[in-house]
Amino acid sequence: MSTTLCFDFGNTRLKAAVFQKAGLAEVIMIGKDDPEIIEEVIKKYEPEKTILSSVINHNPEIENLLLAKTKFHKLNYLSNLPFTTPVGKPETIGADRLALAAAAVYFFPRRHNLVIGMGSCITYNFLNKDHEFLGGGISPGMEMRMRALNQFTAKLPIVKPDGNVPLVGYDTLTNILSGVVIGMAHEIDGFVNDYKQRYSNFNVHLTGGDLVYLAPHLKNQIFADPELIFKGLYAISEVNNQ
């Protein structure tokens, strides 16, 4: 059975997805960028191909290990991608955004697509129907907003995310949840509405670990897929790991 491992090294979490016969079989958490951990993962799943998307300064020995043990590709702006990047400095586009864009083009070709990634930051990634990645926007993610409220005030606590959020908070905890979670939902809806005024007939995709908290509060119709980045990585791997 052909197996591909897709590694996603984000600012908050390091994860990998196991694809078998083009199907997503499992998502695993990786504690840290330790080559010994990666080697154990390789021994367990015996992948033929691997791909790495990283937005952190990870241990470079990991790439050497993946290259020695598998057909390996590191995602970057020079990768063979199913879209073009007519922006000022394509080399500055994060690997995670490239993977999300690839997934949108792969599953919804010849359509305008707005892909919203919910990670350490919220990324807005817009591709037109000609498969051009035009850019978008970046704003603080949920954990970053929660921590900022605690760090830059004397008494506000750290609050854990929760999807059950009242509009009118009744204590400090629910006031923070309302401001952050519902505030982010309004931000996302606002961006989507602004895009609607400029572009017609486009898909909105929401992905990432925080979508479970945001999706119930959004008014616009979206496609929600928490593993969209891995599907994009697999599609890129298939083209670049021949």
Side-chain angles (χ1 to χ4, degrees):
M1 181 181 297
S2 177
T3 300
T4 299
L5 281 178
C6 301
F7 292 91
D8 173 33
F9 288 4
N11 289 296
T12 305
R13 300 178 183 89
L14 278 62
K15 301 189 296 182
V18 183
F19 282 82
Q20 295 178 333
K21 291 185 176 180
L24 178 58
E26 185 179 356
V27 175
I28 57 178
M29 301 300 297
I30 300 172
K32 56 183 178 178
D33 59 333
D34 185 337
E36 292 185 2
I37 295 176
I38 303 302
E39 187 161 17
E40 287 299 317
V41 173
I42 293 174
K43 287 181 180 179
K44 179 177 181 179
Y45 295 99
E46 299 182 339
E48 176 187 355
K49 303 174 184 178
T50 57
I51 184 170
L52 170 64
S53 165
S54 177
V55 296
I56 64 172
N57 295 318
H58 59 267
N59 190 328
E61 287 302 314
I62 289 176
E63 295 182 31
N64 296 332
L65 175 63
L66 294 174
L67 186 61
K69 301 285 187 178
T70 68
K71 293 180 181 178
F72 168 65
H73 181 72
K74 181 182 179 182
L75 176 59
N76 61 78
Y77 79 102
L78 295 176
S79 299
N80 188 358
L81 300 168
F83 55 88
T84 58
T85 54
V87 297
K89 294 183 178 181
E91 66 274 12
T92 65
I93 303 173
D96 55 335
R97 302 182 74 183
L98 295 175
L100 292 177
V105 169
Y106 182 80
F107 290 106
F108 299 91
R110 298 303 169 190
R111 296 284 302 275
H112 294 321
N113 288 285
L114 175 62
V115 189
I116 304 171
M118 304 292 304
S120 297
C121 296
I122 306 176
T123 63
Y124 299 89
N125 310 282
F126 189 77
L127 298 100
N128 65 18
K129 62 182 180 180
D130 297 319
H131 295 177
E132 295 176 314
F133 178 44
L134 302 182
I138 301 174
S139 72
M142 185 175 296
E143 183 177 356
M144 194 178 296
R145 298 181 195 216
M146 297 286 198
R147 289 188 177 276
L149 288 172
N150 170 257
Q151 183 176 347
F152 295 108
T153 64
K155 297 183 177 181
L156 291 180
I158 289 284
V159 177
K160 294 183 179 180
D162 193 325
N164 185 20
V165 181
L167 175 63
V168 181
Y170 49 83
D171 57 13
T172 300
L173 186 147
T174 52
N175 271 265
I176 292 175
L177 284 173
S178 178
V180 173
V181 177
I182 297 180
M184 290 173 68
H186 284 305
E187 175 193 313
I188 292 172
D189 276 325
F191 266 106
V192 173
N193 291 336
D194 287 344
Y195 274 89
K196 284 181 178 179
Q197 293 182 11
R198 179 171 297 187
Y199 303 96
S200 61
N201 192 25
F202 68 95
N203 296 319
V204 182
H205 312 270
L206 186 65
T207 188
D210 289 334
L211 76 80
V212 64
Y213 307 115
L214 271 296
H217 303 285
L218 295 173
K219 296 179 180 179
N220 282 285
Q221 184 177 2
I222 61 170
F223 294 101
D225 186 346
E227 312 302 348
L228 189 65
I229 190 170
F230 287 124
K231 295 175 181 179
L233 285 174
Y234 179 79
I236 295 171
S237 174
E238 286 297 285
V239 175
N240 289 271
N241 266 329
Q242 299 299 324

Short mmCIF file of all heavy atoms in Angstrom, two decimals, residues 11 55 94 96-98 100-101 114-126 133 135-141 145 184 187-188 191 195 205-207 229:
data_model
loop_
_atom_site.label_atom_id
_atom_site.label_comp_id
_atom_site.label_asym_id
_atom_site.label_seq_id
_atom_site.Cartn_x
_atom_site.Cartn_y
_atom_site.Cartn_z
N ASN A 11 3.27 27.26 14.10
CA ASN A 11 3.80 27.97 15.26
C ASN A 11 3.29 27.38 16.57
O ASN A 11 3.97 27.45 17.59
CB ASN A 11 3.40 29.45 15.18
CG ASN A 11 4.16 30.18 14.10
OD1 ASN A 11 5.38 30.30 14.16
ND2 ASN A 11 3.45 30.67 13.10
N VAL A 55 6.59 26.62 9.02
CA VAL A 55 6.67 28.08 9.19
C VAL A 55 7.53 28.42 10.42
O VAL A 55 7.51 29.55 10.89
CB VAL A 55 5.27 28.71 9.33
CG1 VAL A 55 4.47 28.50 8.05
CG2 VAL A 55 4.53 28.14 10.53
N GLY A 94 3.97 32.16 3.16
CA GLY A 94 4.15 31.04 4.06
C GLY A 94 3.77 29.72 3.42
O GLY A 94 2.83 29.65 2.61
N ASP A 96 2.30 27.25 4.72
CA ASP A 96 0.93 26.84 5.08
C ASP A 96 -0.09 27.47 4.14
O ASP A 96 -1.06 26.82 3.74
CB ASP A 96 0.64 27.23 6.52
CG ASP A 96 0.87 28.71 6.82
OD1 ASP A 96 1.67 29.35 6.12
OD2 ASP A 96 0.24 29.22 7.76
N ARG A 97 0.15 28.71 3.74
CA ARG A 97 -0.78 29.38 2.84
C ARG A 97 -0.72 28.76 1.44
O ARG A 97 -1.74 28.65 0.75
CB ARG A 97 -0.48 30.88 2.78
CG ARG A 97 -0.56 31.56 4.14
CD ARG A 97 -0.30 33.04 4.06
NE ARG A 97 -1.44 33.75 3.48
CZ ARG A 97 -1.44 35.06 3.24
NH1 ARG A 97 -0.36 35.79 3.49
NH2 ARG A 97 -2.51 35.64 2.72
N LEU A 98 0.47 28.35 1.02
CA LEU A 98 0.60 27.68 -0.27
C LEU A 98 -0.18 26.36 -0.29
O LEU A 98 -0.84 26.03 -1.28
CB LEU A 98 2.07 27.42 -0.59
CG LEU A 98 2.98 28.63 -0.79
CD1 LEU A 98 4.42 28.19 -0.97
CD2 LEU A 98 2.52 29.47 -1.98
N LEU A 100 -2.82 25.56 1.58
CA LEU A 100 -4.26 25.83 1.59
C LEU A 100 -4.74 26.25 0.20
O LEU A 100 -5.81 25.84 -0.25
CB LEU A 100 -4.57 26.93 2.61
CG LEU A 100 -4.37 26.56 4.08
CD1 LEU A 100 -4.65 27.76 4.97
CD2 LEU A 100 -5.25 25.39 4.48
N ALA A 101 -3.94 27.05 -0.47
CA ALA A 101 -4.30 27.49 -1.82
C ALA A 101 -4.34 26.30 -2.78
O ALA A 101 -5.24 26.19 -3.62
CB ALA A 101 -3.31 28.53 -2.32
N LEU A 114 -11.86 31.75 -1.48
CA LEU A 114 -11.28 32.42 -0.33
C LEU A 114 -11.09 31.36 0.76
O LEU A 114 -12.05 30.77 1.24
CB LEU A 114 -12.20 33.52 0.19
CG LEU A 114 -11.76 34.23 1.48
CD1 LEU A 114 -10.42 34.94 1.28
CD2 LEU A 114 -12.83 35.21 1.96
N VAL A 115 -9.83 31.11 1.10
CA VAL A 115 -9.50 30.09 2.09
C VAL A 115 -9.04 30.81 3.37
O VAL A 115 -8.09 31.59 3.34
CB VAL A 115 -8.38 29.15 1.61
CG1 VAL A 115 -8.22 27.98 2.57
CG2 VAL A 115 -8.68 28.64 0.21
N ILE A 116 -9.72 30.51 4.47
CA ILE A 116 -9.42 31.16 5.74
C ILE A 116 -8.83 30.12 6.68
O ILE A 116 -9.49 29.14 7.06
CB ILE A 116 -10.69 31.77 6.35
CG1 ILE A 116 -11.34 32.74 5.36
CG2 ILE A 116 -10.36 32.49 7.66
CD1 ILE A 116 -12.71 33.24 5.79
N GLY A 117 -7.56 30.31 7.04
CA GLY A 117 -6.87 29.39 7.92
C GLY A 117 -6.88 29.88 9.35
O GLY A 117 -6.51 31.03 9.62
N MET A 118 -7.31 29.01 10.27
CA MET A 118 -7.42 29.37 11.69
C MET A 118 -6.29 28.71 12.47
O MET A 118 -6.45 27.61 13.00
CB MET A 118 -8.78 28.93 12.24
CG MET A 118 -9.98 29.47 11.49
SD MET A 118 -10.14 31.23 11.71
CE MET A 118 -10.19 31.33 13.47
N GLY A 119 -5.15 29.37 12.55
CA GLY A 119 -4.04 28.83 13.32
C GLY A 119 -3.57 29.86 14.32
O GLY A 119 -4.37 30.57 14.93
N SER A 120 -2.26 29.96 14.52
CA SER A 120 -1.73 31.01 15.40
C SER A 120 -2.18 32.37 14.90
O SER A 120 -2.43 33.29 15.69
CB SER A 120 -0.20 30.94 15.43
OG SER A 120 0.23 29.71 15.98
N CYS A 121 -2.27 32.50 13.59
CA CYS A 121 -2.85 33.68 12.96
C CYS A 121 -4.03 33.26 12.10
O CYS A 121 -4.14 32.09 11.70
CB CYS A 121 -1.81 34.39 12.08
SG CYS A 121 -0.40 35.06 12.97
N ILE A 122 -4.91 34.21 11.81
CA ILE A 122 -5.93 33.99 10.80
C ILE A 122 -5.34 34.45 9.48
O ILE A 122 -4.86 35.58 9.36
CB ILE A 122 -7.21 34.79 11.07
CG1 ILE A 122 -7.75 34.53 12.47
CG2 ILE A 122 -8.29 34.46 10.04
CD1 ILE A 122 -8.95 35.38 12.83
N THR A 123 -5.33 33.57 8.49
CA THR A 123 -4.87 33.98 7.17
C THR A 123 -6.04 33.94 6.19
O THR A 123 -6.82 32.99 6.18
CB THR A 123 -3.74 33.07 6.65
OG1 THR A 123 -4.22 31.72 6.50
CG2 THR A 123 -2.56 33.07 7.62
N TYR A 124 -6.14 34.99 5.41
CA TYR A 124 -7.14 35.08 4.35
C TYR A 124 -6.39 34.93 3.03
O TYR A 124 -5.48 35.72 2.73
CB TYR A 124 -7.86 36.43 4.41
CG TYR A 124 -8.59 36.66 5.71
CD1 TYR A 124 -7.95 37.25 6.80
CD2 TYR A 124 -9.92 36.27 5.86
CE1 TYR A 124 -8.61 37.45 8.00
CE2 TYR A 124 -10.59 36.48 7.06
CZ TYR A 124 -9.93 37.07 8.13
OH TYR A 124 -10.59 37.27 9.32
N ASN A 125 -6.76 33.92 2.27
CA ASN A 125 -6.02 33.56 1.06
C ASN A 125 -6.98 33.50 -0.11
O ASN A 125 -7.85 32.63 -0.15
CB ASN A 125 -5.33 32.21 1.26
CG ASN A 125 -4.53 32.16 2.55
OD1 ASN A 125 -3.44 32.69 2.62
ND2 ASN A 125 -5.09 31.54 3.58
N PHE A 126 -6.81 34.41 -1.07
CA PHE A 126 -7.77 34.48 -2.17
C PHE A 126 -7.12 34.07 -3.48
O PHE A 126 -6.05 34.55 -3.87
CB PHE A 126 -8.32 35.90 -2.32
CG PHE A 126 -9.46 35.98 -3.30
CD1 PHE A 126 -10.72 35.55 -2.95
CD2 PHE A 126 -9.25 36.44 -4.59
CE1 PHE A 126 -11.77 35.59 -3.85
CE2 PHE A 126 -10.29 36.50 -5.51
CZ PHE A 126 -11.56 36.07 -5.13
N PHE A 133 -3.02 33.17 -7.17
CA PHE A 133 -3.07 33.48 -5.74
C PHE A 133 -2.76 34.96 -5.59
O PHE A 133 -1.62 35.39 -5.74
CB PHE A 133 -2.06 32.62 -4.98
CG PHE A 133 -2.00 32.91 -3.50
CD1 PHE A 133 -3.16 33.08 -2.77
CD2 PHE A 133 -0.79 33.00 -2.84
CE1 PHE A 133 -3.12 33.34 -1.41
CE2 PHE A 133 -0.73 33.26 -1.48
CZ PHE A 133 -1.90 33.44 -0.76
N GLY A 135 -3.20 36.92 -2.88
CA GLY A 135 -2.84 37.38 -1.55
C GLY A 135 -4.04 37.34 -0.62
O GLY A 135 -4.87 36.45 -0.71
N GLY A 136 -4.14 38.32 0.27
CA GLY A 136 -5.25 38.33 1.22
C GLY A 136 -4.93 39.16 2.44
O GLY A 136 -4.67 40.35 2.34
N GLY A 137 -4.91 38.53 3.61
CA GLY A 137 -4.64 39.26 4.84
C GLY A 137 -4.22 38.32 5.96
O GLY A 137 -4.39 37.10 5.87
N ILE A 138 -3.64 38.91 7.00
CA ILE A 138 -3.21 38.16 8.19
C ILE A 138 -3.63 38.96 9.42
O ILE A 138 -3.40 40.17 9.48
CB ILE A 138 -1.69 37.94 8.22
CG1 ILE A 138 -1.21 37.18 6.98
CG2 ILE A 138 -1.28 37.18 9.48
CD1 ILE A 138 0.31 37.05 6.89
N SER A 139 -4.23 38.29 10.38
CA SER A 139 -4.58 38.93 11.65
C SER A 139 -4.32 37.96 12.79
O SER A 139 -4.13 36.76 12.56
CB SER A 139 -6.04 39.41 11.65
OG SER A 139 -6.93 38.32 11.73
N PRO A 140 -4.30 38.43 14.05
CA PRO A 140 -4.00 37.53 15.17
C PRO A 140 -5.05 36.44 15.31
O PRO A 140 -6.24 36.66 15.12
CB PRO A 140 -4.03 38.46 16.39
CG PRO A 140 -3.80 39.82 15.84
CD PRO A 140 -4.44 39.82 14.48
N GLY A 141 -4.59 35.24 15.67
CA GLY A 141 -5.48 34.12 15.91
C GLY A 141 -6.05 34.16 17.32
O GLY A 141 -5.78 35.07 18.11
N ARG A 145 -4.83 36.39 20.66
CA ARG A 145 -5.70 37.44 21.22
C ARG A 145 -5.92 37.20 22.72
O ARG A 145 -5.91 38.15 23.51
CB ARG A 145 -7.03 37.47 20.47
CG ARG A 145 -6.87 37.82 19.00
CD ARG A 145 -8.19 37.87 18.26
NE ARG A 145 -7.95 37.86 16.82
CZ ARG A 145 -8.68 38.53 15.94
NH1 ARG A 145 -9.70 39.26 16.33
NH2 ARG A 145 -8.39 38.46 14.65
N MET A 184 -14.03 37.67 16.47
CA MET A 184 -13.38 37.03 15.32
C MET A 184 -14.40 36.62 14.27
O MET A 184 -14.14 36.73 13.06
CB MET A 184 -12.58 35.82 15.79
CG MET A 184 -11.34 36.18 16.60
SD MET A 184 -10.52 34.73 17.31
CE MET A 184 -9.90 33.93 15.83
N GLU A 187 -15.28 39.58 12.37
CA GLU A 187 -14.18 39.94 11.48
C GLU A 187 -14.22 39.10 10.21
O GLU A 187 -14.12 39.62 9.09
CB GLU A 187 -12.84 39.73 12.18
CG GLU A 187 -11.63 39.96 11.27
CD GLU A 187 -10.33 39.46 11.86
OE1 GLU A 187 -10.05 39.77 13.04
OE2 GLU A 187 -9.58 38.77 11.13
N ILE A 188 -14.39 37.79 10.39
CA ILE A 188 -14.41 36.89 9.24
C ILE A 188 -15.61 37.20 8.33
O ILE A 188 -15.47 37.29 7.11
CB ILE A 188 -14.43 35.43 9.71
CG1 ILE A 188 -13.10 35.08 10.37
CG2 ILE A 188 -14.71 34.48 8.54
CD1 ILE A 188 -13.08 33.73 11.06
N PHE A 191 -14.90 40.36 6.36
CA PHE A 191 -14.01 40.16 5.23
C PHE A 191 -14.74 39.47 4.08
O PHE A 191 -14.59 39.85 2.91
CB PHE A 191 -12.80 39.32 5.64
CG PHE A 191 -11.60 40.13 6.05
CD1 PHE A 191 -11.24 40.23 7.38
CD2 PHE A 191 -10.83 40.78 5.11
CE1 PHE A 191 -10.15 40.98 7.77
CE2 PHE A 191 -9.73 41.53 5.47
CZ PHE A 191 -9.39 41.63 6.82
N TYR A 195 -15.31 40.88 0.27
CA TYR A 195 -14.93 40.15 -0.94
C TYR A 195 -16.14 39.99 -1.86
O TYR A 195 -16.00 40.03 -3.09
CB TYR A 195 -14.34 38.78 -0.59
CG TYR A 195 -12.86 38.80 -0.29
CD1 TYR A 195 -12.40 39.03 1.01
CD2 TYR A 195 -11.91 38.60 -1.29
CE1 TYR A 195 -11.04 39.05 1.30
CE2 TYR A 195 -10.56 38.60 -1.01
CZ TYR A 195 -10.12 38.84 0.28
OH TYR A 195 -8.78 38.87 0.56
N HIS A 205 -13.77 28.78 2.33
CA HIS A 205 -13.32 27.59 3.02
C HIS A 205 -12.73 28.00 4.37
O HIS A 205 -11.91 28.92 4.44
CB HIS A 205 -12.23 26.86 2.22
CG HIS A 205 -12.57 26.66 0.78
ND1 HIS A 205 -13.23 25.55 0.31
CD2 HIS A 205 -12.36 27.46 -0.30
CE1 HIS A 205 -13.39 25.66 -1.01
NE2 HIS A 205 -12.87 26.81 -1.39
N LEU A 206 -13.13 27.32 5.42
CA LEU A 206 -12.61 27.58 6.76
C LEU A 206 -11.93 26.32 7.27
O LEU A 206 -12.49 25.23 7.21
CB LEU A 206 -13.74 27.98 7.71
CG LEU A 206 -13.33 28.44 9.11
CD1 LEU A 206 -12.54 29.74 9.04
CD2 LEU A 206 -14.57 28.64 9.98
N THR A 207 -10.70 26.49 7.75
CA THR A 207 -9.95 25.33 8.21
C THR A 207 -9.07 25.73 9.38
O THR A 207 -8.87 26.90 9.67
CB THR A 207 -9.10 24.74 7.08
OG1 THR A 207 -8.52 23.50 7.51
CG2 THR A 207 -7.99 25.68 6.65
N ILE A 229 -5.41 21.63 4.98
CA ILE A 229 -4.00 21.85 4.68
C ILE A 229 -3.31 20.54 4.30
O ILE A 229 -2.46 20.51 3.40
CB ILE A 229 -3.27 22.53 5.85
CG1 ILE A 229 -1.87 22.96 5.42
CG2 ILE A 229 -3.23 21.62 7.08
CD1 ILE A 229 -1.18 23.84 6.43
#
